[in-house]
Amino acid sequence: MKYLVRDRIFGIGDDYWIEDENGHHAFLVDGKAMRLRDTLEIKDPAGRVLVTLREKALSVRDAMTVERDGQTLATVRKKRLSLLRNHYRVALADDAGAAAGLGAGPGAELDVTGRVLDREFTVEHDGEPLARISRKWFRTRDTYAVDVVRAGADPALLIAVAVCVIRIAERERE
């Protein structure tokens, strides 16, 4: 299933609908204003919060957390030594891999590799693609797709990972 995400909409106070490939509202992104750290909530169409994205405070390297029900689900940060390509590591909480439909055990990690700033990258677990992020399907430069390729994977988590990686890469570029 592909989810269409508009670029540059993830700012403080911004709200935006992410649509599925059939044009239906799938997720509402709610940018929380008046917070000390960047905070975004991804909600279902009924308004229930599925995941919360937060900038990690007091981190040596840029990092963001993905939370569900007040518990950290994943921590996203750039891999220390990645010379040729953008490479990010997503550390899942002990029970997050199984809960997210990834079949991952305690301490599991996701790898994110590709050209993040070009919106051409992949999220993988143990070499198996979970999602492909790409602009190649669109004529307009302000939209990219998060194509969830693994059946049963949590699309809200994978969209959150993509958004976190892009935000970290853009901060690094600045």
Side-chain angles (χ1 to χ4, degrees):
M1 174 68 76
K2 286 184 184 128
Y3 297 92
L4 312 179
V5 183
R6 199 176 313 156
D7 229 351
R8 306 275 182 224
I9 51 86
F10 295 104
I12 301 297
D14 289 344
D15 293 347
Y16 174 74
W17 280 103
I18 294 174
E19 297 177 346
D20 65 18
E21 60 192 332
N22 300 316
H24 300 111
H25 289 173
F27 303 102
L28 175 66
V29 179
D30 184 359
K32 294 295 184 185
M34 306 304 292
R35 303 278 172 105
L36 294 175
R37 302 180 289 170
D38 280 352
T39 302
L40 301 168
E41 292 179 342
I42 297 180
K43 301 177 178 182
D44 67 11
R48 186 176 51 112
V49 176
L50 301 174
V51 292
T52 302
L53 291 65
R54 294 186 201 280
E55 174 186 36
K56 195 162 174 95
L58 304 173
S59 178
V60 174
R61 293 180 293 147
D62 279 341
M64 291 187 76
T65 59
V66 179
E67 301 170 3
R68 178 172 285 145
D69 299 326
Q71 301 294 318
T72 299
L73 191 60
T75 302
V76 181
R77 57 175 43 103
K78 185 164 185 169
K79 190 174 176 185
R80 288 184 188 184
L81 299 173
S82 60
L83 302 174
L84 300 176
R85 309 176 90 189
N86 294 123
H87 194 139
Y88 295 81
R89 184 75 35 142
V90 181
L92 298 174
D94 286 344
D95 57 347
L102 304 178
E109 292 184 336
L110 306 180
D111 289 313
V112 181
T113 57
R115 297 183 324 272
V116 173
L117 293 174
D118 292 334
R119 309 307 187 257
E120 298 292 336
F121 59 96
T122 304
V123 179
E124 298 178 340
H125 176 258
D126 285 339
E128 178 188 354
L130 302 174
R132 291 186 179 91
I133 292 74
S134 180
R135 276 191 174 147
K136 71 181 177 183
W137 295 297
F138 304 102
R139 295 187 194 278
T140 60
R141 296 290 296 166
D142 70 339
T143 304
Y144 61 92
V146 176
D147 186 9
V148 178
V149 296
R150 178 171 179 173
D154 181 352
L157 172 62
L158 294 172
I159 290 168
V161 166
V163 170
C164 288
V165 166
I166 290 168
R167 289 179 75 95
I168 292 169
E170 286 179 344
R171 275 195 215 118
E172 242 177 40
R173 181 180 62 183
E174 296 170 357

